[in-house]
């Protein structure tokens, strides 16, 4: 007996984002240093001393005895001049020196303050980015990429409703599906301005060169930071990670890390993951098989059924599982293509949930099936060739739409490869692990650039040799945009990876989480019937038995539960002819979409059930134009248009009586006849023609208590008196736009159907079950078919109906 954990609902929360600094810092202006004393001082001293020497010489050699008395005053004056000039010079010099020292010290302090400010901003920004995109589990906290940062890896967070970061990214967020792949170095968002005078002074004064150098290094150091490198996988589809030879495990490690980031940040309501991996990688992908994100996305699930009933995980490991999943995937891609056309009409843009298809490399021997010819030659018993996977899933036709139109239809493909030549030709983004890149200069975070006490520059640009030895192996990568050659490649300084234990721990914590329902709240106005089924339909080779026999279409629903349209938030609207029936009423004023609804109902039944399970009897008071095409179906046992005369109405009654007798006979023989769906369009008009029509009709259908007879009475308005009897007889009511609130009230017990917009035919209410009222938009059969890649020709509405009805439904 397996123990099923109770599910924990995770609701959408307001997003709390760390603050990323965006200010501008201006570097301090360098000081204007005082001009040192001029060299003319020395000239004066020189000439004074020279004068003294000349006087001395002249008076000693040319004059006699007493004249030498006069020499001393001259010498004294010159000496005094020289001395006073020297003293003045020294005084000025000391003053200039002191002033300069003061100004430089001040400048230094200002630079230091700016550095402290920048260091804080640098830290804040780095911290904010890492908080938004932390690594999954263990990381090298000593690495310069994470130095000084306070990081809580994803696995250390709580996996519950109180974690504000869990499944926090919403489709409208800028970082929706922006996935971390490693670390890059890039410019900061805050800016550093250099005042103009900075530059001038830097050129002019050689004395403050050291400070200018300091300022320059400060700008380069603090305006670059290590942040997680994110890639927008939604826009860059497909993405290939290439790791040749020994690097393939690193490429796979990165793929795992990327998937782990996707599942932590995005709700399964917005992102679903499909894994296609080779058998050799079974243990590597085991963890993904319990993620809520890999639960097979089924657009037919109602909100209540969502995730709980269907626990098939779209994690196909090995060729057999992949071949089973590919057709389902292909149908979903086709459906998205149709949705896209509808979204264009209603100018909605995102198709949700976004599908991420992960395709691992099939590199080991035996990962792929042998091609048919080769297996015959090798004597391997031939199995169904359509079930053999002899090429990578990336090359299968089922994946073509995902690869070529992924970005438009909400699909992203991520794959690994050993060789750049084997990646899909339309690859947009290549994460290339091939080359070894030289290590980038690494700044030791937190080390001041200038040690003021020692007055020397700190060594800040390289990892010391002893540290380098202990630095773990760093796998780098080059991220190249293959479609935009102008865009430069980005160097990923260290790619992410994830250990098996971490991945398993993540999956186990997520296993019991479910997204609280949060679907889009719009209601579509145009729904092609084919959207309700899994398409595209191969019109040329349609085999109705495939669908009639396919448990996928039948087992989830009770018998005769058919999709007829979509409710708000793209939830499927079903009509359950057994549980909500057996009988019903369809009311709607002219042009409200009754005929389209009947056609949808009939085709929906035809696609799902065999003629041996369901039969139609179609009656129209008028020309029966809308029902006429259905008479060709093997399910239709009678079609009677123009029943406007009492004679024809009587003929219908006789026909019905005969059919009921036939069924009774079959039942007596122990056989169970097919369900009989009787649609009577214009029943109120017929009742007006023959007063006893309704009584007679009900008497016949009640005969023998046959639970498999289902009446659908169609009219433009309830017509009071007729409505009363009919109203009591029927169980479910379909009500499109009504002419008046009274009409609406007669059917729904509320006036709402009168206020349905006339401009949106096909919109209506279904009152069923225990007074449950659903607003829905009915699907159309006769919608013009959009031009798609798969189908180049555009059919108009009637042509489409004819084409669908001429599909080879067996039995006739
Ligand atoms: N579900 C729908 N979605 C979009 N358009 C629709 C839908 N149903 C009907 N329409 C549009 O409204 C038009 C009228 O629809 P329809 O003929 O089904 O109305 P009706 O109620 O049967 O009218 P009447 O009573 O006059 O026969 C259609 O030609 C089509 O253009």
């Amino acid at each position: 007996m397996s123990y099923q954990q109770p599910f924990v609902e995770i609701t959408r929360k307001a997003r709390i984002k760390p603050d990323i600094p965006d200010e501008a810092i201006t570097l301090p202006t360098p000081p204007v240093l005082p001009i040192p004393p001029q060299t003319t001082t020395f000239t004066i001293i020189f000439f004074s001393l020279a004068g003294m020497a000349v006087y001395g010489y002249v008076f000693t050699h040319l004059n006699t005895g007493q004249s030498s008395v006069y020499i001393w005053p001259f010498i004294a004056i010159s000496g005094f001049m020289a001395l006073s000039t020297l003293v003045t010079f020294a005084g000025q010099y000391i003053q200039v020196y002191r002033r300069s020292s003061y100004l430089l010290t001040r400048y230094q302090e200002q630079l230091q303050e700016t550095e402290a400010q920048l260091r804080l901003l640098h830290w804040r920004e780095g911290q904010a980015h890492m908080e938004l995109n932390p690594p999954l589990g263990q990381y090298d906290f000593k690495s310069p990429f994470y130095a000084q940062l306070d990081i809580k890896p994803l696995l250390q967070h709580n996996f519950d409703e109180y974690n504000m970061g869990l499944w926090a990214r919403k489709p409208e967020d800028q970082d929706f599906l922006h996935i971390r792949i490693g670390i890059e170095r890039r410019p900061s968002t805050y800016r550093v301005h250099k005042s103009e005078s900075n530059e001038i002074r830097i050129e002019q004064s050689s004395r403050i060169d050291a400070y200018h150098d300091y300022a320059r290094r400060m700008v380069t150091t603090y305006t670059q930071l290590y942040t997680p490198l994110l890639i927008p996988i939604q826009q860059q589809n497909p993405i290939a990670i290439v790791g040749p030879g020994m690097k393939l495990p690193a490429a796979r490690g990165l793929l795992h890390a990327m998937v782990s980031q996707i599942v932590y940040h995005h709700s399964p309501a917005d992102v679903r993951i499909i894994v296609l991996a080779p058998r050799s990688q079974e243990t590597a992908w085991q963890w993904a098989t319990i993620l809520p994100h890999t639960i097979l996305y089924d657009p037919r699930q109602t909100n209540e059924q969502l995730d709980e009933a269907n626990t098939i995980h779209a994690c196909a490991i090995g060729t057999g599982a992949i071949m089973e999943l590919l057709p389902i995937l292909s149908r979903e891609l086709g459906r998205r293509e149709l949705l896209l056309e509808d979204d264009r009409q209603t100018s909605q843009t995102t198709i949700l949930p976004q599908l991420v298809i992960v395709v691992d490399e099939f590199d080991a021997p035996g990962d792929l099936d042998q091609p048919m010819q080769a297996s015959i030659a090798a004597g391997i018993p031939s199995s169904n060739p359509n079930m053999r996977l002899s090429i990578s899933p990336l090359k299968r036709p089922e994946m073509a739409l995902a690869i070529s139109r992924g970005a438009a239809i909400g699909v992203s493909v991520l794959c690994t490869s050993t060789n750049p030549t084997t990646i899909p030709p339309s690859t947009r983004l290549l994460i290339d692990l091939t080359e070894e890149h030289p290590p980038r200069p690494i700044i030791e975070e937190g080390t001041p650039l200038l040690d003021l006490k020692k007055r020397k520059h700190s060594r800040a640009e390289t990892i010391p040799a002893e540290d380098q030895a202990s630095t773990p192996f760093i796998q780098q990568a080059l991220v190249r945009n293959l479609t935009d050659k102008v865009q430069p490649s980005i160097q990923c300084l260290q790619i992410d990876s994830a250990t098996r234990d971490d991945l398993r721990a993540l999956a186990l914590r997520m296993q019991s989480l479910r997204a609280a329902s949060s679907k889009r709240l719009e209601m579509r106005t145009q729904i092609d019937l084919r959207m309700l089924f899994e398409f595209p339909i191969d019109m040329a080779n349609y085999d109705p038995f495939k669908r009639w026999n396919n448990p996928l279409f039948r087992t989830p629903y009770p018998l005769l539960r058919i999709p007829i349209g979509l409710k708000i938030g793209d939830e499927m609207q079903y009509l359950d002819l057994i549980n909500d029936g057996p009988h019903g009423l369809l009311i709607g004023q002219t042009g409200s979409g009754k005929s389209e609804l009947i056609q949808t109902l009939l085709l929906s039944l035809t696609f799902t059930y065999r003629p041996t399970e369901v039969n139609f009897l179609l009656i129209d008071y008028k020309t029966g134009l809308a029902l006429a095409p259905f008479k060709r179906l093997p399910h239709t046992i009678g079609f009677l248009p123009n029943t406007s005369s009492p004679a024809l109405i009587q003929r219908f009654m006789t026909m019905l009586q005969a059919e009921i007798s036939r069924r009774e006979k079959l039942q007596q023989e122990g056989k169970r006849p097919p369900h009989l769906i009787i649609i009577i369009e214009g029943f109120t008009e017929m009742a007006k023609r023959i007063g006893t029509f309704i009584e007679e009709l009900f008497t016949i259908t009640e005969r023998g208590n046959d639970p498999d007879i289902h009446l659908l009475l169609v009219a433009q308005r309830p017509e009071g008196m007729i409505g009363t009897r009919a109203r009591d007889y029927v169980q479910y009511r379909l009500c499109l736009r009504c002419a008046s609130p009274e009409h609406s009230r007669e059917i729904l017990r509320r006036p709402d159907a009168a206020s349905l917009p006339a401009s949106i035919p096909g919109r209506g209410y279904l009152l069923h079950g225990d007074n449950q009222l659903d607003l829905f938009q009915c699907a159309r059969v006769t919608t013009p078919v959009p031009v798609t890649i798969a189908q180049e020709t555009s059919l108009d509405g009637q042509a489409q109906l004819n084409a669908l009805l001429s599909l080879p439904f067996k039995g006739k």
Side-chain angles (χ1 to χ4, degrees), residues 476-734:
Q476 300 193 341
L478 213 56
V479 181
R480 281 191 254 150
N481 189 322
L482 300 185
T483 50
D484 184 357
K485 300 277 184 239
V486 187
Q487 209 172 307
S489 306
I490 305 171
Q491 192 177 344
C492 181
L493 298 173
Q494 180 178 35
I495 61 161
D496 283 346
S497 193
T499 65
R500 292 227 175 125
D501 285 347
D502 283 351
L503 293 169
R504 216 177 111 72
L506 175 78
L508 285 172
R509 282 174 215 184
M510 286 220 155
Q511 188 179 14
S512 59
L513 304 185
R514 291 292 181 273
S517 73
S518 56
K519 291 192 156 191
R520 56 194 232 175
L521 293 173
E522 300 90 9
M523 187 178 265
R524 295 176 189 275
T525 52
Q526 288 286 338
I527 300 160
D528 190 309
L529 172 76
R530 302 181 308 161
M531 262 187 216
L532 309 189
F533 289 86
E534 309 225 354
F535 282 88
I537 282 187
D538 179 1
M539 301 285 264
N541 305 303
Y542 186 74
D543 177 1
F545 281 99
K546 271 196 183 155
R547 189 169 290 269
W548 289 339
N549 292 340
N550 192 337
L552 204 79
F553 299 106
R554 301 169 63 95
T555 45
Y557 316 129
L559 197 70
L560 294 195
R561 183 174 189 236
I562 41 153
I564 55 167
L566 294 177
K567 294 194 254 191
I568 199 158
D570 278 356
E571 198 176 314
M572 196 72 87
Q573 176 69 62
Y574 289 102
L575 179 62
D576 189 333
L577 291 177
I578 293 178
N579 289 324
D580 292 337
H583 309 301
L585 202 58
L586 166 58
I587 302 292
Q589 69 176 156
T590 181
S592 60
K594 297 184 297 299
S595 306
E596 290 278 353
L597 201 160
I598 295 170
Q599 290 183 338
T600 295
L601 192 103
L602 288 173
L603 263 187
S604 217
L605 283 164
T606 308
F607 276 122
T608 320
Y609 303 107
R610 295 184 187 83
T612 48
E613 292 169 312
V614 172
N615 285 169
F616 307 140
L617 184 55
L618 312 172
I619 306 26
D620 195 343
Y621 178 77
K622 287 188 281 180
T623 52
L625 273 180
L627 296 178
F630 293 85
K631 68 181 176 194
R632 293 200 300 263
L633 287 175
H635 303 72
T636 309
I637 55 162
F639 167 62
L640 211 60
N642 296 312
T643 46
S644 49
S645 71
L648 278 171
I649 297 172
Q650 212 51 61
R651 199 181 134 200
F652 157 62
M653 293 295 197
T654 315
M655 198 172 127
L656 184 60
Q657 247 162 354
E659 175 58 20
I660 301 283
S661 306
R662 194 182 69 84
R663 293 174 68 87
E664 276 173 350
K665 208 162 151 229
L666 282 174
Q667 278 159 350
Q668 279 157 15
E669 288 167 11
K671 293 181 191 147
R672 184 155 190 194
H675 286 264
L676 179 61
I677 318 287
I678 307 168
I679 297 182
I680 308 176
E681 194 158 3
F683 88 100
T684 48
E685 279 89 349
M686 286 156 85
K688 277 190 218 157
R689 283 277 171 169
I690 300 184
T692 56
F693 171 74
I694 290 187
E695 287 304 324
E696 265 185 64
L697 177 69
F698 292 163
T699 313
I700 299 171
T701 50
E702 272 167 12
R703 217 177 78 192
N705 274 339
D706 187 343
D708 295 342
I709 291 181
H710 307 268
L711 266 179
L712 177 60
L713 305 172
V714 186
Q716 289 188 354
R717 58 191 80 86
E719 302 286 7
M721 43 98 191
I722 304 162
T724 324
R725 173 74 175 101
R727 237 180 24 220
D728 297 343
Y729 191 72
V730 299
Q731 290 76 34
Y732 69 88
R733 290 137 199 223
L734 285 158

Side-chain angles (χ1 to χ4, degrees), residues 415-452:
C415 61
T416 52
S417 175
T418 46
N419 192 336
T421 56
T422 58
I423 61 175
S426 57
T427 299
R428 283 182 77 94
L429 205 78
L430 176 69
I431 305 175
D432 191 356
L433 276 59
T434 315
E435 287 169 37
E436 289 294 351
H437 306 284
R440 275 282 187 96
I442 289 172
I443 304 293
E444 287 172 43
E445 311 280 333
T447 312
L449 293 179
L450 187 66
D451 187 333
L452 291 168

